[in-house]
Amino acid sequence: MKVPKSLINTLNKEQILLLATHISPDGDALGSCLALAEALVVLGKKVYIFDKDPVPELYQFMPGHKKCRSTLGNLLKKNPLLILLDCNSPERAALEGYTFSKSVVIDHHETESPFGDIRWVERTAAATGLMVFHLINALNIRITKSMATNMYTAIAVDTGTFRYSNTSSDVLRASAELIDAGAQPGIISEHLYERWKKNRFDLLSLCLGTLEIRDNMAMIHVTKDMFNKTGTVEADTENFANVPRMIDSVVISALIRETDNGRWKVSMRSKGQANVAKIAAAYGGGGHRNAAGFRIKTDLPLLKKTLFAAGKKILPKR
Amino acid sequence: MKVPKSLINTLNKEQILLLATHISPDGDALGSCLALAEALVVLGKKVYIFDKDPVPELYQFMPGHKKCRSTLGNLLKKNPLLILLDCNSPERAALEGYTFSKSVVIDHHETESPFGDIRWVERTAAATGLMVFHLINALNIRITKSMATNMYTAIAVDTGTFRYSNTSSDVLRASAELIDAGAQPGIISEHLYERWKKNRFDLLSLCLGTLEIRDNMAMIHVTKDMFNKTGTVEADTENFANVPRMIDSVVISALIRETDNGRWKVSMRSKGQANVAKIAAAYGGGGHRNAAGFRIKTDLPLLKKTLFAAGKKILPKR
């Protein structure tokens, strides 16, 4: 992975930097911002981190996360260099409508926008955190334990702790260096996977009880009533859509959640070539081939029937 | 990690080799045997692999697994060098009562026996597969795709695909080399985690519905009736004991299975210092600090009451 010289030069030159990432930030978004911010402070820069949404409880173990701010205040008067991380348009970072005289994009997502004076987009990089690792090395900054923890978390989250097919040898070698710099895989994984609240676990248990499989498509749902019964909220269903994927016959899985009476949010996941983004697009939603979603006003039995029919159409022929 | 010279010399000298591993073989046991066997064949040796138990379905994606034999036949007449992998006593490999004129042990387990003419035991190694990786390198044998797949699987299984605290930088660097040699992390993980049968998933769902938490101890159970209802067997409960660990408050978890009317098998898991081997030992069972078990004849309510009381005693004071 080659870090653009123009990026190195710009970072060395600019003194006031605004790092921003996408709304609903995940571990890669946050870890990339926090690690790069710390490195830029080492270079003597004045650094700010912006995310419209608060840091989710899950990620509040990440060193320096309290430095994230959700308002810009009068920061723009200082004419900062905007650095978008893990996204590549101001809209994704809830920064539409603001004007920046200079901007940088550091991202690994497939969908690209033309935004940014300097654009470093590596679509094949497993995580933006991996790009930041190479950037910090290119800036000749020693990686501290907190930077290492943040970048390791970023990479771990976007590779499913090294379970997804984007786990390359470069990913593992970078992660090895991060361990040597102080990242603790056991502790990071405990934070990511073993800190569920009991009521979230109860919700999962109820939700799994709703499993229906037809052809190679699995469906689970959560109603308002189930949220109320367990004292949980929508955020607690994070990753539930992935769970039925563990069944060998399941190629497509869908998680359906009731948001308001008669309103539903659908998250779909798929294995291999089955393109769930096609179904999402048909209902005004979006996403990628293997992860997409949409919102709809309907009733549950009809929604399920429609989804099973739509899923059947995109299932690869056997 | 330093490979003993005596081991290299012995492997170079001997021509007929019997590789054996523990009963109920896991990914590390099988991956270590299969990779080393293939490497020794490259050296022109005659190699046999023995495991008393059949290769579990879960691991039947591992290249060369059909070479495992569950009987010795008249093999001992050939006077082979015995190489015990991932265990260090003939009993663990169901080889007690046989005599071997020469023997080697390659293992990473803490409990040691005095068996073996050459003993290479690295208690801090994350996996025996990692030791075999260093051994094959020391033998100057090029790692093939199938060797890489077997060693990667071995390491993945014993580190929880890099989630446990034994995930060192050495583990990740070795795994990076195995990817470069052809191991495919996404496909291996799919085999390990996404090939559940639907009825096993149904059993998990029923089992999670039995969750009880008191103090910091979680308990789940599976009755004969639940096995019958879902058409599953005891082997399908593999790893269920770990599931409640994902709840932040849970320090000890116990999975209780009905084996016969009135007979129960208990598997316990713990986080940190809580030593469940103490409870297991009190009931004639065994294991390690964070994973232990025992069998008992009693009734379920009484067993649960006893376990909650025993658990309370070993919970670290807060």
Side-chain angles (χ1 to χ4, degrees):
Chain A
M1 200 178 299
K2 217 179 132 35
V3 182
K5 269 205 179 144
S6 55
L7 175 58
I8 302 285
N9 293 341
T10 299
L11 291 181
N12 278 321
K13 205 183 75 185
E14 295 292 332
Q15 293 306 315
I16 299 172
L17 307 149
L18 172 62
L19 276 53
T21 188
H22 57 76
I23 51 171
S24 301
D26 58 10
D28 190 22
L30 292 166
S32 299
C33 284
L34 295 170
L36 183 58
E38 189 183 339
L40 293 170
V41 166
V42 172
L43 286 185
K45 314 290 179 182
K46 191 78 191 147
V47 185
Y48 303 89
I49 309 175
F50 171 79
D51 198 283
K52 175 82 185 308
D53 291 328
V55 174
E57 200 181 329
L58 171 64
Y59 297 119
Q60 289 181 7
F61 72 95
M62 296 175 82
H65 72 87
K66 287 189 177 163
K67 286 174 198 147
C68 296
R69 47 158 71 200
S70 58
T71 54
L72 289 174
N74 58 1
L75 186 54
L76 294 196
K77 285 185 187 157
K78 298 180 185 178
N79 192 27
L81 169 70
L82 173 69
I83 306 179
L84 283 183
L85 283 148
D86 202 40
C87 64
N88 59 61
S89 75
E91 291 76 17
R92 279 286 291 145
L95 283 174
E96 64 271 24
Y98 295 99
T99 309
F100 296 90
S101 60
K102 48 221 162 172
S103 57
V104 165
V105 162
I106 302 174
D107 188 24
H108 72 133
H109 285 93
E110 280 193 31
T111 42
E112 276 196 52
S113 86
F115 181 83
D117 301 317
I118 296 172
R119 296 181 54 77
W120 181 31
V121 178
E122 299 268 1
R123 294 189 199 189
T124 59
T128 301
L130 184 65
M131 299 171 71
V132 169
F133 168 79
H134 288 293
L135 173 57
I136 292 177
N137 279 340
L139 287 166
N140 283 315
I141 296 165
R142 191 182 67 81
I143 294 176
T144 63
K145 182 175 174 168
S146 47
M147 289 182 209
T149 301
N150 283 320
M151 288 186 279
Y152 194 97
T153 303
I155 295 170
V157 165
D158 265 25
T159 61
T161 39
F162 315 112
R163 289 185 184 185
Y164 303 157
S165 59
N166 61 2
T167 305
S168 62
S169 55
D170 184 37
V171 163
L172 292 189
R173 286 199 181 91
S175 304
E177 285 191 47
L178 294 173
I179 292 174
D180 288 339
Q184 296 177 290
I187 290 174
I188 291 170
S189 299
E190 199 184 309
H191 278 290
L192 292 176
Y193 306 112
E194 299 187 346
R195 294 287 169 99
W196 284 44
K197 300 284 170 237
K198 166 75 163 56
N199 58 355
R200 187 181 177 201
F201 194 87
D202 292 337
L203 183 69
L204 176 65
S205 182
L206 281 179
C207 177
L208 293 186
T210 70
L211 177 72
E212 270 183 77
I213 298 184
R214 275 190 226 165
D215 302 311
N216 298 94
M217 189 168 182
M219 228 169 275
I220 50 179
H221 70 260
V222 179
T223 59
K224 273 271 174 207
D225 190 44
M226 288 155 75
F227 282 127
N228 293 339
K229 204 177 269 175
T230 52
T232 50
V233 294
E234 200 206 300
D236 290 309
T237 62
E238 172 91 27
N239 274 328
F240 281 17
N242 282 314
V243 179
R245 276 182 53 133
M246 68 206 273
I247 302 169
D248 59 354
S249 65
V250 170
V251 178
I252 301 171
S253 71
L255 164 68
I256 305 169
R257 282 148 296 179
E258 190 173 12
T259 54
D260 282 305
N261 277 340
R263 292 188 180 276
W264 303 85
K265 187 174 167 187
V266 179
S267 296
M268 294 171 291
R269 299 288 183 272
S270 69
K271 295 177 186 169
Q273 296 306 312
N275 189 351
V276 287
K278 275 191 190 172
I279 301 178
Y283 292 95
H288 307 279
R289 186 178 67 192
N290 298 128
F294 65 93
R295 287 164 186 274
I296 193 168
K297 192 173 185 310
T298 180
D299 67 83
L300 187 59
L302 181 63
L303 175 55
K304 285 193 164 183
K305 198 177 155 192
T306 312
L307 273 177
F308 275 124
K312 202 168 179 176
K313 280 184 196 155
I314 63 155
L315 279 168
K317 301 283 170 287
R318 302 220 158 184
Chain B
M1 200 178 297
K2 218 180 132 32
V3 182
K5 267 203 178 145
S6 55
L7 175 58
I8 303 285
N9 294 340
T10 299
L11 291 181
N12 278 321
K13 205 183 75 186
E14 295 292 331
Q15 293 307 315
I16 299 172
L17 307 149
L18 172 62
L19 276 53
T21 188
H22 57 77
I23 52 173
S24 300
D26 59 11
D28 190 23
L30 292 165
S32 299
C33 283
L34 296 170
L36 184 58
E38 189 183 339
L40 293 170
V41 166
V42 173
L43 286 185
K45 314 291 177 180
K46 191 80 191 148
V47 185
Y48 303 89
I49 308 175
F50 171 80
D51 197 283
K52 176 82 184 305
D53 292 328
V55 175
E57 201 181 327
L58 170 64
Y59 297 119
Q60 289 181 8
F61 72 94
M62 296 175 82
H65 72 88
K66 286 188 178 163
K67 287 174 197 147
C68 295
R69 48 157 73 199
S70 58
T71 53
L72 289 174
N74 57 1
L75 185 54
L76 294 196
K77 284 184 187 159
K78 298 179 184 178
N79 193 26
L81 169 69
L82 173 69
I83 307 179
L84 283 183
L85 283 147
D86 202 40
C87 63
N88 58 61
S89 74
E91 290 77 16
R92 279 285 293 145
L95 284 174
E96 65 271 24
Y98 296 98
T99 309
F100 296 90
S101 59
K102 49 221 163 173
S103 57
V104 164
V105 162
I106 301 174
D107 188 26
H108 72 132
H109 284 92
E110 281 195 29
T111 42
E112 276 196 50
S113 86
F115 181 83
D117 301 317
I118 296 173
R119 294 180 56 77
W120 182 31
V121 178
E122 300 268 0
R123 294 188 198 191
T124 59
T128 301
L130 183 66
M131 298 171 71
V132 169
F133 168 80
H134 289 293
L135 173 57
I136 291 177
N137 280 339
L139 287 166
N140 283 315
I141 296 164
R142 192 182 67 81
I143 294 176
T144 63
K145 182 175 175 169
S146 47
M147 289 183 209
T149 301
N150 283 320
M151 288 186 278
Y152 194 97
T153 303
I155 295 170
V157 165
D158 264 25
T159 61
T161 37
F162 314 111
R163 289 184 183 185
Y164 303 157
S165 58
N166 61 2
T167 305
S168 62
S169 55
D170 185 37
V171 163
L172 292 189
R173 285 198 181 92
S175 303
E177 285 191 47
L178 295 173
I179 292 175
D180 288 339
Q184 295 176 290
I187 290 175
I188 292 170
S189 299
E190 198 183 310
H191 278 289
L192 292 177
Y193 305 112
E194 299 186 347
R195 294 286 170 99
W196 283 45
K197 298 286 170 238
K198 165 75 163 58
N199 58 357
R200 189 182 174 200
F201 194 88
D202 293 337
L203 183 69
L204 176 64
S205 182
L206 281 180
C207 178
L208 294 186
T210 70
L211 176 71
E212 270 183 76
I213 298 183
R214 274 189 227 168
D215 302 310
N216 299 93
M217 189 168 183
M219 229 169 274
I220 49 179
H221 71 259
V222 179
T223 60
K224 273 271 172 207
D225 190 44
M226 288 156 74
F227 282 127
N228 292 341
K229 205 176 270 175
T230 53
T232 50
V233 294
E234 199 206 301
D236 290 308
T237 63
E238 173 92 26
N239 274 329
F240 281 17
N242 282 314
V243 179
R245 277 182 54 133
M246 67 206 273
I247 302 169
D248 59 355
S249 65
V250 169
V251 178
I252 301 171
S253 71
L255 163 69
I256 306 169
R257 282 149 295 179
E258 190 172 14
T259 55
D260 282 305
N261 277 339
R263 292 188 180 275
W264 303 85
K265 187 174 167 186
V266 179
S267 296
M268 295 172 291
R269 298 289 183 273
S270 70
K271 296 177 184 168
Q273 296 305 313
N275 189 351
V276 287
K278 275 190 189 173
I279 300 179
Y283 292 95
H288 306 280
R289 186 179 68 191
N290 298 128
F294 65 92
R295 287 166 185 273
I296 193 168
K297 192 173 186 309
T298 180
D299 67 84
L300 187 59
L302 181 62
L303 175 54
K304 286 194 165 182
K305 199 177 155 192
T306 312
L307 274 177
F308 275 124
K312 203 169 178 176
K313 281 185 195 155
I314 63 154
L315 279 169
K317 299 285 170 285
R318 302 222 158 184

